[in-house]
């Protein structure tokens, strides 16, 4: 397949074909980005899957890391109940999906040979089919996204399955990213490093214009001024820029 | 193969052959490839005015970034300011940002795009721009997939900062290591030097000086980066720019 001719190759849906409303997807993106904490992002994510994937009436996210399986987020109580049934049994599609990082379908809970106990419990609860997709994060993010369908058998269609896999990737990335405790520091570092250097460059320009010298000489003068005043170079540079921004006379570096 | 896995395999396959400073370009190329885009660029942003090009998949994508930075507005700025993905078609570009549209459509082959923020939690620090030569509007799943790759890219960038980044202490000499000192960034630095020169020569605040340089670049039909390079080289009479401001 020539991917360049098919935008969206490898992601759900066919370009130009019938698909969910564009505005709805844009809105999904906005909602997702608004999530502040990991819990909020995951919770929002299960709601988005329920809202966009046909046949996903209730959605949950199972995590199977240290301390055993647990439901980290869900779009409704029925999904939580059915997750817990599987945790108690120690067997079920969500656990196998999480373990294998694969898709596990139960197309009809009225007739399922692989998970008879789970299927019976699901049917009693009114759930007719389920679709679980393992998170692709590997051992760093073991878990599964579970889509439960009430009333109708037959789990999600091909489009829904691809969308569910995309959302499962999102959950995995969110989990892995949240695992880095020093990430906040690193973002601050990026911002501070950018601003510091911009201030230094700008102050260099001020000195170049004032003293009709080149960039290297201007930088050297800033360094010399900092040394003479026993102040940090950045402080001196910031003062040079700040004086001009206030509209006052430029202070000697 | 799953999208994130393909992305990771694509950029890591080339990573060993190049220095850290080219990592952003590798990431941009890999993003374009797995998202079936015709170009991609990564920018760092801090506040409304400070924007550095990290790397691009190719020359057209780099040009698109420079044009937008020259004008000072566009989908990339909006994605950063609003913290959400912004999709663009020829119609939307022409309607929302007519000045940028005139230049973008004339100078690049791209007719549609997606800009999506790079972030860590709620904190944004840059943008991934995807460009398409087809005029077709990006689909919803393209947008979701772009956000996914932006999340992964943000993670890779933050993880590959130098060890001194862990405690958040930026280097005192203002010259951080690795990809924060990419060739694209070094070229952009002339803009801040030029702003400083204009600060003094025109007695303008930093914001006004930047706006003056932008207006002059537009009037001259060049990018802000090109003008800044000329200014720093001493080839522009800054006093003369005052006329631009006052007329």
């Amino acid at each position: 397949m020539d991917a360049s001719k098919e935008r969206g190759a490898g992601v759900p849906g066919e370009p130009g074909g019938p698909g969910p409303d564009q505005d709805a997807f844009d809105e999904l993106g906005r909602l997702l980005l608004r999530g502040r904490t990991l819990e909020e992002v995951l919770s929002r994510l299960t709601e988005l899957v329920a809202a966009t994937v046909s046949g996903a009436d209730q959605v949950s996210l199972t995590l199977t890391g240290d301390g055993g399986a647990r439901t980290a987020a869900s779009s409704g109580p029925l999904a939580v109940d059915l997750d817990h049934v599987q945790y108690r049994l120690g067997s079920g599609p969500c656990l196998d999906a999480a373990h294998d990082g694969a898709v596990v379908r139960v197309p009809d809970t009225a007739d399922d040979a692989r998970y008879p106990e789970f299927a019976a419990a699901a049917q009693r609860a009114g759930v007719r089919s389920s679709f679980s997709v393992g998170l692709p994060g590997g051992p760093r993010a073991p878990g599964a996204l579970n889509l439960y369908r009430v009333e109708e058998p037959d789990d999600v269609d091909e489009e829904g399955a691809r969308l569910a896999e995309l959302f499962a990737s999102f959950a995995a990335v969110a989990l892995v990213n949240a695992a880095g405790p020093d990430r906040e520091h690193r973002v601050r570092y990026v911002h501070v490093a950018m601003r510091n250097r911009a201030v230094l460059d700008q102050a260099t320009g001020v000195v170049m214009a004032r003293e009709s010298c080149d960039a290297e000489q201007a930088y050297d003068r800033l360094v010399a001024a900092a040394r003479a005043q026993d102040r940090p170079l950045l402080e001196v540079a910031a003062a040079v820029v700040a004086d001009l921004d206030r509209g006052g006379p430029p202070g000697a570096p | 193969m799953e999208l994130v896995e393909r992305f990771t395999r694509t950029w890591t396959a080339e990573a060993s052959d190049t220095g850290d400073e080219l990592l952003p370009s590798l990431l941009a190329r890999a993003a374009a490839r797995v998202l079936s885009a015709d170009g991609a660029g990564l920018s760092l942003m801090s506040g409304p005015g400070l924007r550095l090009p990290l790397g691009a998949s190719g020359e057209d994508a780099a040009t698109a970034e420079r044009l937008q930075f020259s004008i000072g507005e566009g989908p990339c700025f909006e994605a950063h300011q609003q913290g959400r993905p912004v999709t663009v078609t020829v119609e939307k570009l022409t309607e929302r940002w007519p000045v940028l549209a005139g230049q973008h459509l004339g100078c690049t082959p791209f007719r549609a795009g997606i800009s999506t923020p790079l972030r860590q939690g709620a904190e944004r620090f840059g943008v991934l721009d995807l460009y398409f030569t087809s005029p077709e509007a990006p689909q919803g799943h393209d947008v979701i997939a772009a956000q996914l790759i932006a999340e992964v890219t943000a993670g890779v960038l933050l993880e590959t900062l130098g060890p001194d980044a862990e405690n958040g202490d930026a280097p005192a000499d203002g010259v951080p290591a690795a990809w924060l000192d990419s060739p694209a960034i070094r070229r952009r630095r002339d803009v801040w030097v030029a702003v400083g020169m204009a600060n003094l020569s025109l007695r303008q605040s930093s914001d006004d000086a930047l706006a003056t340089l932008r207006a002059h670049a537009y009037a001259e039909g060049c990018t802000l980066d090109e003008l800044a390079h000329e200014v720093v080289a001493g080839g522009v009479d800054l006093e003369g720019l005052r006329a631009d401001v006052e007329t």
Side-chain angles (χ1 to χ4, degrees), chain B residues 104-123:
Chain B
H104 177 90
L105 298 175
C107 299
T108 80
F110 304 128
R111 297 296 176 264
I114 305 172
S115 297
T116 185
L118 300 174
R119 61 193 192 106
Q120 168 61 36
E123 182 88 22

Side-chain angles (χ1 to χ4, degrees), chain A residues 3-4 6-17 22 25-26 28-30 32-33 35-36 41 136 159 163 165-167 169-170 173 177 180 182-198 200-202 204-206 208-210 215 219 233-234 241 244-245 248-250, chain B residues 2-4 6 34 36 44-46 50 52 83-85 87 117 119-120 122-125 132 134 136-145 147-148 151-152 155 158-159 161 164-174 176 179-181 185 189 192-193 195-197 199-201 203-206 232:
Chain A
S4 66
E6 188 187 339
R7 180 185 308 167
V11 299
E14 297 301 322
Q22 175 73 43
F25 271 109
D26 285 351
L28 294 186
R30 283 194 289 275
L32 205 52
L33 284 172
R36 297 267 159 173
V41 169
E159 160 80 7
L163 204 50
E165 287 179 39
L166 201 52
F167 277 111
S169 298
F170 242 119
V173 170
N177 280 0
D182 60 5
R183 285 285 185 84
E184 307 297 334
H185 290 150
R186 287 166 179 264
V187 174
R188 196 172 79 226
Y189 174 94
V190 171
H191 283 296
V192 173
M194 282 176 77
R195 286 181 201 151
N196 284 357
R197 193 158 55 180
L200 264 179
D201 289 341
Q202 201 178 335
T204 300
V206 172
M208 282 169 74
R210 184 166 56 210
Y219 183 82
L233 175 60
L234 265 172
V241 172
L244 283 166
D245 268 346
Chain B
E2 191 264 332
L3 187 63
V4 174
R6 273 196 295 145
V34 303
S36 301
L44 282 181
M45 296 184 77
S46 185
L50 195 46
L52 301 174
R84 66 176 181 83
T87 60
R119 61 193 192 106
Q120 168 61 36
E123 182 88 22
R124 304 184 286 275
F125 65 94
F132 303 96
S134 156
E136 198 182 315
Q139 303 282 298
H141 33 71
D142 297 331
V143 179
I144 301 283
Q147 286 175 271
L148 175 57
E151 289 285 305
V152 178
L158 293 177
E159 287 298 323
L161 279 169
D164 55 342
E166 279 170 27
N167 54 18
D169 292 336
D173 61 358
W179 51 260
L180 271 165
D181 201 32
I185 286 180
R189 290 179 64 182
W192 278 274
V193 178
V195 165
M197 295 174 74
N199 270 153
L200 188 94
S201 301
R203 300 280 156 176
Q204 286 184 332
S205 71
S206 302
V232 173

